[in-house]
Amino acid sequence: TQLLEQSPQFLSIQEGENLTVYCNSSSVFSSLQWYRQEPGEGPVLLVTVVTGGEVKKLKRLTFQFGDARKDSSLHITAAQPGDTGLYLCAGPKPNTGNQFYFGTGTSLTVIP
Amino acid sequence: DAGVIQSPRHEVTEMGQEVTLRCKPISGHNSLFWYRQTMMRGLELLIYFNNNVPIDDSGMPEDRFSAKMPNASFSTLKIQPSEPRDSAVYFCASSSGQGNQPQHFGDGTRLSIL
């Protein structure tokens, strides 16, 4: 059973299009992290959202944490081929310090 | 600064052989994680060390898997004997402190068991 479900699982779009990917759970998390993993590399942290309803922007990427802290979304404006990769959300495992559950991932391909 | 370093990057071996994966965490990080990534199951935590001590090994699939961290700058994940279903990408990650500290991942070892 996956604690963090991500959708869609796969997404292929043309350069310049906008897209949104989702990370959902039935559990409340104190925070959520988003990572991007490029082919042949390990995941790299993009952002951490902490407060319910929080919105963070990283250039063309907008991250939102749900009010109830059970879900998060990532919106990319005017996607570029460099955005291609696997997007993973991660939430802390309670009472463990710094262990995380990782989501199922969304594999994004941006076609030039 | 050097990131997390894993070796080898690729390993192809026959079933039944012993496989040893190596990891050098970022200097000063006190937490180390071994993950396995497959298409079917995504990224799964195998074992977590804090200050070189194994804290949670509940993700280790079976007794064929073992991990050690003899010092703060080195860890190994061993599979003996290996089986085809062990084929996956194995990642090592390290982090410092508690809470929302990011995990820094190596580039992984792509393991193929024939």
Side-chain angles (χ1 to χ4, degrees), chain A residues 46-98:
Chain A
L46 296 173
V47 78
T48 301
V49 286
V50 179
T51 306
E54 179 178 7
V55 176
K56 280 192 174 178
K57 292 193 175 185
L58 188 66
K59 296 182 180 178
R60 294 174 294 98
L61 278 59
T62 301
F63 303 85
Q64 184 161 9
F65 200 11
D67 291 341
R69 292 184 287 127
K70 292 183 177 182
D71 55 84
S72 182
S73 64
L74 159 59
H75 181 80
I76 301 179
T77 303
Q80 303 294 311
D83 297 327
T84 293
L86 179 69
Y87 288 81
L88 295 161
C89 63
K93 192 175 180 183
N95 304 317
T96 62
N98 55 357

Side-chain angles (χ1 to χ4, degrees), chain B residues 3-4 7 26-27 31-32 36 40 45-46 57 71-72 101 106 109:
Chain B
V4 174
S7 64
I26 292 174
S27 177
S31 296
L32 184 140
R36 177 172 66 178
M40 291 296 296
L45 177 66
L46 300 177
D57 65 355
N71 57 62
Q101 294 301 313
T109 295

Side-chain angles (χ1 to χ4, degrees), chain B:
Chain B
D1 287 340
V4 174
I5 300 172
Q6 290 187 245
S7 64
R9 287 299 312 275
H10 304 274
E11 175 91 15
V12 181
T13 192
E14 293 185 345
M15 66 177 294
Q17 297 297 306
E18 178 179 293
V19 173
T20 300
L21 311 181
R22 297 173 176 81
C23 175
K24 177 179 169 57
I26 292 174
S27 177
H29 282 186
N30 61 352
S31 296
L32 184 140
F33 308 82
W34 281 101
Y35 290 90
R36 177 172 66 178
Q37 187 176 42
T38 61
M39 284 291 294
M40 291 296 296
R41 300 174 68 88
L43 198 62
E44 302 173 278
L45 177 66
L46 300 177
I47 188 168
Y48 157 50
F49 291 87
N50 193 51
N51 293 322
N52 312 339
V53 176
I55 302 299
D56 183 356
D57 65 355
S58 59
M60 295 286 263
E62 49 198 273
D63 291 345
R64 299 184 296 107
F65 285 68
S66 62
K68 294 182 180 179
M69 191 165 186
N71 57 62
S73 60
F74 184 65
S75 177
T76 60
L77 177 67
K78 187 174 292 187
I79 308 173
Q80 167 64 17
S82 58
E83 297 183 3
R85 61 194 168 117
D86 302 330
S87 298
V89 182
Y90 290 80
F91 286 101
C92 175
S94 69
S95 72
S96 62
Q98 300 280 314
N100 294 323
Q101 294 301 313
Q103 297 195 5
H104 297 260
F105 285 79
D107 286 337
T109 295
R110 182 172 293 277
L111 178 64
S112 297
I113 308 297
L114 305 177

Side-chain angles (χ1 to χ4, degrees), chain A residues 1-107:
Chain A
T1 302
Q2 286 283 357
L3 208 60
L4 289 166
E5 295 283 349
Q6 292 187 244
S7 61
Q9 187 176 0
F10 298 97
L11 186 59
S12 181
I13 62 170
Q14 294 288 332
E15 181 177 358
E17 293 183 354
N18 302 332
L19 66 115
T20 302
V21 298
Y22 301 92
C23 172
N24 293 297
S25 178
S26 57
S27 302
V28 175
F29 285 94
S30 58
S31 65
L32 280 178
Q33 297 181 341
W34 283 92
Y35 290 77
R36 178 170 63 210
Q37 182 179 9
E38 299 187 12
E41 300 182 6
V44 175
L45 180 72
L46 296 173
V47 78
T48 301
V49 286
V50 179
T51 306
E54 179 178 7
V55 176
K56 280 192 174 178
K57 292 193 175 185
L58 188 66
K59 296 182 180 178
R60 294 174 294 98
L61 278 59
T62 301
F63 303 85
Q64 184 161 9
F65 200 11
D67 291 341
R69 292 184 287 127
K70 292 183 177 182
D71 55 84
S72 182
S73 64
L74 159 59
H75 181 80
I76 301 179
T77 303
Q80 303 294 311
D83 297 327
T84 293
L86 179 69
Y87 288 81
L88 295 161
C89 63
K93 192 175 180 183
N95 304 317
T96 62
N98 55 357
Q99 290 185 66
F100 287 83
Y101 296 111
F102 277 84
T104 49
T106 292
S107 179

